[in-house]
Amino acid sequence: MTAGGPVVVVGAGLGGLAAAMRLAGAGREVTVVEAADVPGGCCGTAALGSHRVDIGPSVLTMPGVLADTFAAAGQDLERWLPLRRLDPYYRLTFHDGSRLDVVAGADAMAERVRALCGPAEAVRYRRFRQLLGEMFEAEWSAFIDRDMTRLRALARPYALVRLAALGGFRRLDGLVRRHLTDERLIRAHTFQALYVGLSPRRALGVYAVIAHMDTVGGVYFPREGGMHAVPRAMAAAAEKAGAVFRYGVRATRIETDGAGVVAVRLDTGERLAARHAVVACDLLRAHGRRDGDGLLPEEAADWRLRRPRLSPSCLVAHFALDRRPDGQAHHTLHFGREWETTFAELEAGRPQPDPSLLVTCPGPDDHGPGDHGPGGGGPAVLSVLEPAPNTRGGADWTALTPRLVDRMLGRLAGLGYGDLSGTPRLVFDPPAWRRRGHSAGTPFALDARFTQTAWFRPSGAARRVPGLHFAGMYTAPGVGVPPVLISGRLAAERILESTP
């Protein structure tokens, strides 16, 4: 047995994989237990005829976080998972027929803003872009990349003062409107609030850093295999570092004694001895009902989950195309005419009347899951996402899903994608997400209101159960690929520090 005792990681999603890679890279004995037959968790894949489609995150930012994870396992990211930076990062289209390509470089981006919005707005954009960079620098080391489980993380007054001065505790919509005046540009820098489950009028200004991550830092994509290549490469690197993977088995109970974690029970009847456990799955399901039938022991209860506020969900339709549309960007965001009312309806648990659509279509340079080889005219997958209420809204999804899909088909036809009604498709609605293990049918976990942000996010460690740690989007830093990877790193660091 290695020094520090064995570690069991429950869940081979990105958070669990990040923890496993770091622990195995440090020489610890690590077993990863995953109920599915493949790694990935939320970053999964599914079959659509002869195609494979990504059914998880499609936006990959901050590749340095991923590179650091591979380096901790003694591996080089470029060798395992070559990435390319998308160009453009996004294509934004507006209801008036105008469009804005988000591209690399301050000068190139300012020129596109000037062409769309005029020279005065381009000047304002440059100033706002600088502000985004300053906010990112202020937040990264103090909050995003920091273990909010530690009490010493509370004492960061200078960081709080700096963020307040930059406008981080204003509402996101108000912050952006203080610096930009063109409504199209404002939408381009506030739609990211939906990533954290809130409207721009309710999200804090600190979440402007998401706009910095993807509009300034850039959006990337694996050169081969689509987004599911990320967890596949991570699992392979973890195995090379010594981690053992158990696929197709489910953890049923974390066993403890007076000193903390002692074992993890599996649905096979096996008992894996463990000094530490990293739970990297849906925390609400892990806690189970109050009669103690969940994965976690009752003493692991977290007061932050007593009345959780969950994010809205989404409706996603994947279409198998014979040919990739000419001139199609990898990511295209089609804004609806409405804005404020769409968020109000979503917050009330109703479908948006005029949703913005995120269309993702990997190109031939990506060799993504929908590609059958190089060449721009080959088969492709067109994935379309629209925000939707989660299942707590009480909607009759049996009737609602077909109506929303029909509306989406009409909208896509009007946007120039043609008649897709007869195209092979795979649809994920909120009940489908719930069947895949997501509480309330949302793959976005808790929303990021102030009372569920930073120190108020569910803890990364169970204070009353030594050796029990958490990773994934339910804990800090939050939702999104880089934050989830960081949560895995923080869990691993706590284990390594406690058992040198």
Side-chain angles (χ1 to χ4, degrees):
M1 184 177 294
T2 59
V7 182
V8 175
V9 177
V10 180
L14 299 183
L17 290 170
M21 290 173 72
R22 290 177 178 278
L23 291 166
R28 297 303 172 92
E29 180 184 344
V30 181
T31 301
V32 181
V33 177
E34 170 56 49
D37 295 329
V38 294
C42 294
C43 194
T45 183
L48 174 55
S50 60
H51 296 71
R52 298 298 301 181
V53 299
D54 289 323
I55 57 173
S58 61
V59 177
L60 176 60
T61 61
M62 302 194 67
V65 176
L66 197 55
D68 183 64
T69 305
F70 275 84
Q75 304 299 320
D76 178 64
L77 173 65
E78 183 62 24
R79 175 177 174 271
W80 286 90
L81 186 69
L83 303 175
R84 79 174 184 94
R85 190 173 65 180
L86 301 181
D87 182 21
Y89 303 156
Y90 289 99
R91 174 163 294 155
L92 309 178
T93 72
F94 304 95
H95 69 273
D96 62 0
S98 60
R99 86 179 196 189
L100 175 67
D101 280 1
V102 180
V103 297
D107 291 341
M109 192 61 209
E111 175 56 30
R112 280 163 173 75
V113 171
R114 186 202 63 76
L116 178 70
C117 310
E121 191 75 344
V123 172
R124 286 188 285 268
Y125 167 76
R126 283 186 178 275
R127 293 171 182 164
F128 180 66
R129 184 184 175 102
Q130 181 177 348
L131 173 71
L132 290 179
E134 292 173 0
M135 292 188 72
F136 178 80
E137 291 298 325
E139 288 184 52
W140 181 255
S141 60
F143 301 103
I144 301 172
D145 199 40
R146 188 175 180 83
D147 192 348
M148 307 310 292
T149 297
R150 312 297 180 88
L151 290 177
R152 64 175 178 263
L154 295 172
R156 308 287 286 182
Y158 66 92
L160 292 173
V161 170
R162 176 62 175 156
L163 277 176
L166 292 170
F169 299 110
R170 297 175 178 270
R171 296 301 175 186
L172 177 62
D173 184 77
L175 170 68
V176 176
R177 289 180 184 277
R178 287 188 67 202
H179 297 274
L180 303 173
T181 61
D182 190 286
E183 189 65 31
R184 295 165 297 184
L185 208 57
I186 291 168
R187 292 189 184 189
H189 291 88
T190 58
F191 79 87
Q192 296 88 352
L194 278 175
Y195 295 166
V196 295
L198 296 172
S199 76
R201 285 198 169 185
R202 298 192 63 193
L204 290 175
V206 292
Y207 290 107
V209 297
I210 303 176
H212 178 274
M213 290 179 185
D214 56 16
T215 68
V216 177
V219 181
Y220 294 76
F221 196 73
R223 289 192 178 275
E224 294 187 359
M227 283 295 290
H228 190 60
V230 176
R232 289 204 313 270
M234 293 178 71
E239 285 187 298
K240 187 174 179 62
V244 174
F245 283 76
R246 296 286 306 277
Y247 293 112
V249 294
R250 186 180 300 275
T252 59
R253 190 70 176 170
I254 306 292
E255 291 188 359
T256 62
D257 62 12
V261 171
V262 295
V264 177
R265 287 278 184 183
L266 306 182
D267 60 359
T268 59
E270 296 172 83
R271 181 178 182 271
L272 301 180
R275 184 170 180 184
H276 295 271
V278 179
V279 176
C281 56
D282 186 295
L283 276 190
L284 292 181
R285 292 205 170 198
H287 279 286
R289 298 195 303 269
R290 296 192 179 188
D291 58 6
D293 71 341
L295 170 67
L296 302 176
E298 291 185 16
E299 58 267 31
D302 191 325
W303 61 269
R304 300 167 185 84
L305 289 173
R306 288 175 186 169
R307 294 182 178 179
R309 300 300 295 267
L310 289 151
S311 294
S313 183
C314 59
L315 177 75
V316 181
H318 303 278
F319 299 91
L321 306 182
D322 293 330
R323 176 185 175 85
R324 188 172 190 267
D326 292 336
Q328 180 71 31
H330 187 114
H331 292 301
T332 304
L333 185 61
H334 298 284
F335 287 101
R337 182 179 299 273
E338 300 294 329
W339 190 242
E340 300 299 340
T341 57
T342 61
F343 290 112
E345 289 295 293
L346 193 60
E347 289 172 354
R350 295 185 290 268
Q352 292 185 312
D354 184 23
S356 297
L357 302 180
L358 174 62
V359 175
T360 299
C361 189
D365 291 337
D366 303 316
H367 301 284
D371 295 315
H372 291 186
V381 169
L382 189 79
S383 301
V384 186
L385 178 151
E386 76 168 61
N390 62 44
T391 57
R392 289 187 174 180
D396 177 6
W397 286 98
T398 302
L400 182 58
T401 297
R403 294 204 302 269
L404 293 182
V405 171
D406 285 345
R407 183 181 70 173
M408 179 186 287
L409 290 169
R411 178 84 179 279
L412 291 170
L415 290 168
Y417 291 95
D419 181 6
L420 300 177
S421 58
T423 302
R425 63 177 180 258
L426 181 64
V427 176
F428 290 88
D429 60 3
W433 297 122
R434 185 174 58 193
R435 290 191 294 272
R436 291 186 63 84
H438 298 291
S439 292
T442 174
F444 305 117
L446 305 175
D447 72 28
R449 64 190 63 214
F450 177 74
T451 54
Q452 294 185 156
T453 295
W455 308 285
F456 303 115
R457 201 82 177 168
S459 178
R463 299 192 186 283
R464 294 193 294 164
V465 185
L468 181 55
H469 305 265
F470 305 104
M473 56 189 173
Y474 272 86
T475 189
V479 179
V481 174
V484 167
L485 294 173
I486 290 168
S487 76
R489 190 204 84 212
L490 297 176
E493 287 179 350
R494 286 192 298 271
I495 293 171
L496 294 174
E497 290 174 10
S498 65
T499 54

